[in-house]
Amino acid sequence: MGEVPEETVRELYTALPEQFTAARDAAAAAAKAAGHGAQATAIKRLRRPTLAAWLVNLLAHRAPERIGELTALAAELRDAQRQLRGADLRTLTVRRRELLSALAGQAADLAVQAQPTLSPLKLPLTEVEQTLAAALADDDIAAQVRAGAVVKAVSYTGFGAALPSGDEPDDNEPSGDAETGGRAAARGTVRAIGGRAATRTATRKGPAAATGGGTVARQGSVTAIEPARVAPTAVAEVEPPVPVGLRRELDAARDAERRARGEVATARAAEASAVDELAQLRDALAALEERRGRAQQEANGRRAARTAAERALAAAVRRTAKAQAAIDVATA
């Protein structure tokens, strides 16, 4: 039982990143206490996701059908590229951009739902799009995205496999010479993209050194991406050149969209506050109405008592007058 249960993976990788380490250690301790030592070890090896990776994981666990759309699009892109259908590739490229933007926006919405204090404008949505784009091109990354266990954002260079992007550091990453070497290899591959360094590396080590690649090292049922060989099924991105003006317009539109999302989040929070205040006022009004009803009943009772007392007084006055009249007659 050395694999991490899917439910544990879901709970850990949808929790806020700052809560991950404590939740992971608690899950490992629970597994160990239950007598599942190998499972506890596998859980303990899980690494805390960066903010961008957490956004991707939220999307995978909370909206898996959208990740299914990504998988379907990858298959269409692969088929169109294999058959060299240029018109289809251009159409699919537009769909790709629209889907990546929509998925990043949905991930931001899920993040704000999970933690209302987050600002969509401060979320690394570009890194989310890069990671999802890499999943379109690399089967290993796609599998990790579908599993919802991404630990770092990745980016795609346009050929070969995806490479780790410049995401925030993971303070729970295990240390060791093998991993240090892997990081150095990744950085070397990134530096080798373009320029004379690429030529020297390719000449010295062959095509594999120039392109880089990625394989998956499995930890329980969760995978971690490490630089290694070229993935044979990677799909190259085929995009027509975009005019500078249109690119600027797209960037401006995305900025406007992010600002609008921030305004929507603020408006939602204000609406929720107003709804809570209204509920409190309704409760207070109901309590006052109940008190008014009781006071009305008490006033009605006192009014009836006053009326009865007045009648008794009138009767007493009549008896007094009659008695006085009788005395007057007797003494006359």
Side-chain angles (χ1 to χ4, degrees):
M1 298 186 63
E3 293 189 351
V4 181
E6 291 184 5
E7 183 62 27
T8 302
V9 173
R10 182 180 302 108
E11 291 177 358
L12 293 179
Y13 282 98
T14 56
L16 295 175
E18 59 265 28
Q19 298 173 352
F20 178 86
T21 302
R24 178 198 62 190
D25 293 346
K32 186 174 181 180
H36 306 315
Q39 186 180 101
T41 301
I43 293 174
K44 192 69 175 177
R45 287 175 180 165
L46 298 179
R47 292 184 296 170
R48 177 177 65 84
T50 61
L51 182 57
W54 174 66
L55 292 169
V56 174
N57 295 335
L58 273 183
L59 193 64
H61 290 296
R62 303 283 169 78
E65 70 283 354
R66 301 307 306 274
I67 300 300
E69 293 180 35
L70 197 71
T71 302
L73 180 59
E76 292 184 59
L77 280 167
R78 183 179 293 109
D79 184 62
Q81 184 185 16
R82 186 180 298 116
Q83 299 184 29
L84 301 178
R85 300 197 306 269
D88 289 346
L89 279 172
R90 286 190 291 272
T91 301
L92 291 171
T93 296
V94 174
R95 278 181 52 194
R96 169 186 176 277
R97 290 174 183 153
E98 293 174 348
L99 181 59
L100 292 177
S101 179
L103 291 180
Q106 187 168 358
D109 290 341
L110 291 171
V112 172
Q113 291 174 18
Q115 178 56 276
T117 60
L118 289 175
S119 170
L121 297 177
K122 296 181 179 179
L123 295 175
L125 300 185
T126 299
E127 295 176 14
V128 172
E129 288 192 30
Q130 290 174 346
T131 301
L132 295 175
L136 280 171
D138 189 284
D139 289 342
D140 291 339
I141 298 173
Q144 193 174 25
V145 168
R146 287 193 299 270
V150 180
V151 296
K152 285 187 177 181
V154 292
S155 60
Y156 187 66
T157 60
F159 59 91
L163 303 171
S165 70
D167 209 339
E168 59 192 77
D170 183 353
D171 58 5
N172 291 290
E173 239 180 292
S175 60
D177 294 340
E179 184 154 357
T180 303
R183 289 181 182 175
R187 288 195 297 269
T189 305
V190 173
R191 286 196 301 269
I193 298 174
R196 289 176 293 179
T199 304
R200 290 197 299 271
T201 304
T203 303
R204 197 164 52 243
K205 296 185 179 180
T211 59
T215 58
V216 174
R218 200 166 276 282
Q219 300 175 351
S221 63
V222 181
T223 57
I225 300 174
E226 298 294 344
R229 56 187 176 80
V230 176
T233 57
V235 180
E237 294 186 27
V238 179
E239 296 189 13
V242 180
V244 175
L246 291 179
R247 173 60 65 184
R248 290 175 179 171
E249 183 178 351
L250 175 61
D251 291 340
R254 284 177 173 171
D255 290 340
E257 178 185 354
R258 287 166 186 163
R259 287 194 297 272
R261 288 184 182 279
E263 293 174 0
V264 168
T266 302
R268 285 177 178 172
E271 179 187 8
S273 177
V275 169
D276 290 341
E277 184 178 0
L278 179 60
Q280 293 174 4
L281 290 174
R282 283 175 177 169
D283 291 341
L285 181 60
L288 289 173
E289 186 65 26
E290 183 179 356
R291 289 176 56 188
R292 187 196 66 81
R294 289 198 302 267
Q296 185 66 51
Q297 291 177 357
E298 185 177 355
N300 291 340
R302 292 181 178 181
R303 185 179 297 111
R306 177 187 59 80
T307 302
E310 288 177 347
R311 288 174 181 172
L313 175 61
V317 168
R318 286 194 299 270
R319 287 197 301 270
T320 301
K322 185 182 291 187
Q324 184 66 46
I327 292 171
D328 291 344
V329 171
T331 60

